[in-house]
DNA sequence: ATGATTTCTGCACGATCGGTCAACATTTTT
DNA sequence: AAAAATGTTGACCGATCGTGCAGAAATCAT
């Protein structure tokens, strides 16, 4: 009763390895280019075993996309009416950039899916993303109404934050190449955070309110 | 002597149709998911005819990527030391957003290629993109040295412009879904230009220099 | 008009794909 | 310990892929 037994412990470990491998392979080869056998090889198990746990490639893919979607959603918890706008948006940018570094594959899978017009997770967009976005826009517009930030387009501010933060995940390879071929150091990631917040938030805060 | 004959005229027309179809199919299905037969069907010709003009899928792909790269490069012609910074960067953003609207497929193909670590056009990144980027950074840093703009990171400013402008091409489907399922109108594209420039350029211009 | 050249197309090939299935191994339940 | 349930694996199938190739069709040069 205390434990669930060896089988279920293994089940969790194996499915976890598959999900992790799938996130990477889907990111690096796209949905069509990612074969089940390559995912299996990445996870170190036979192809049949992947099918056993996730039935089809599409179901496995949906699980991967759902994971990164949930993580991103949680990253915006700081965006509430009662928080300080600059602090809240700054935290959101910081968290999003941390995720760009720690979970770049998930971001790439999402980008690929949207680029291809969301053939598999369109329901996510219409149900959860739409209402979630409208809620954040309401918060930002409340800040504007209170005079806490400049009169900007809340929607385009969100898009700009998404675009810039995810750019550092999706375009990591381009950024690395332009960084003389070496990955960004801890210091350079800190500089990135500072630069992105400096650029975007100066367009948000009131001129006098420095 | 005046004309080149029917054959070469047709050659240009057919290769043009193939390139246009390929840009779209590569964007919507990724490199692996884009089959030659689907490109041929989109162009309205037999599969063998596509191979006749471009030999391999990879060579056709390189042509498609090279096209969008050249177009983007030309879009930054306004970024020179002697131009006014805010005007020049504003023009760049405008042009880049126009391209996001008129050539979204090219942008998506590029995004896909970078996400997958540039398996085919890495030479573009190391040769042309790298030197091109360094040149623009020199210009922006010259503006800073002259005191024409704030002391910002030229590199991250470029990345932010790329990220935001290309976001409106690569994530068109997400933006459309969040726009109640309908594509952006002319007016909304104008609002986008204004919002993006307002957000990014306020982080660039000197506080007093309004 | 005729031969050379270019353009176009259907067919065939080996490879790889997603997914099925039956046999086997292990763990859990009784 | 026997039965049931769960986990694991390799062999196999029909479909699609990129590409090579031979020959037909159209155009060009003479």
């Amino acid at each position: 009763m205390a434990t669930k037994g060896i089988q279920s412990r293994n089940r969790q470990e194996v499915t976890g390895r598959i999900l992790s491998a799938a996130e990477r392979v889907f990111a690096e080869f796209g949905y069509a280019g990612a074969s089940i056998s390559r995912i299996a090889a990445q996870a170190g198990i036979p192809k049949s075993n992947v099918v056993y746990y996730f039935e089809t490639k599409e179901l496995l893919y949906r699980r991967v996309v759902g994971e990164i979607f949930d993580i991103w959603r949680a990253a915006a918890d700081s965006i509430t009416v009662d928080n300080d706008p600059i602090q809240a948006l700054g935290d959101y940018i910081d968290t999003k950039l941390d995720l760009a570094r720690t979970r770049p594959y998930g971001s790439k899978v999402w980008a690929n899916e949207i680029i291809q017009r969301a053939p598999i997770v369109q329901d996510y967009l219409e149900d959860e993303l739409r209402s979630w976005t409208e809620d954040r826009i309401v918060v930002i517009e409340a800040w504007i109404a209170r005079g806490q930030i400049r009169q900007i387009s809340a929607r385009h501010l969100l898009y700009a934050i998404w675009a810039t933060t995810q750019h550092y995940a999706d375009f990591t390879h381009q950024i690395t190449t332009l960084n003389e071929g070496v990955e960004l150091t801890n210091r350079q990631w800190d500089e990135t955070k500072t630069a992105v917040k400096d650029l975007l938030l100066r367009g948000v805060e009131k001129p006098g309110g420095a």
Side-chain angles (χ1 to χ4, degrees), chain A residues 23 67-68 71 98-108 169:
Chain A
E23 180 173 311
E67 268 192 13
I68 192 66
I71 292 175
D98 284 335
L99 288 173
R101 189 179 190 186
T102 58
R103 294 291 293 263
Y105 297 128
S107 179
K108 290 175 180 178

Side-chain angles (χ1 to χ4, degrees), chain A residues 5-84:
Chain A
I6 293 175
Q7 273 195 181
S8 61
R9 202 184 333 131
N10 262 356
R11 181 184 191 97
Q12 204 171 13
E13 190 204 307
V14 173
T15 54
R17 271 228 310 282
I18 294 174
L19 281 171
S20 175
E23 180 173 311
R24 176 165 181 171
V25 174
F26 279 131
E28 292 189 336
F29 298 94
Y31 180 78
S35 64
I36 298 180
S37 57
R38 187 140 30 192
I39 294 172
Q42 177 75 32
I45 59 176
K47 178 175 82 162
S48 310
N49 209 353
V50 175
V51 179
Y52 172 73
Y53 279 111
F54 293 93
E55 297 203 70
T56 68
K57 181 176 166 181
E58 182 173 324
L59 284 174
L60 172 56
Y61 181 78
R62 281 185 67 89
R63 287 282 301 273
V64 170
V65 175
E67 268 192 13
I68 192 66
F69 185 79
D70 288 341
I71 292 175
W72 279 353
R73 190 159 39 182
D77 280 346
S78 60
I79 301 184
T80 60
V81 232
D82 296 327
N83 278 342
D84 174 66

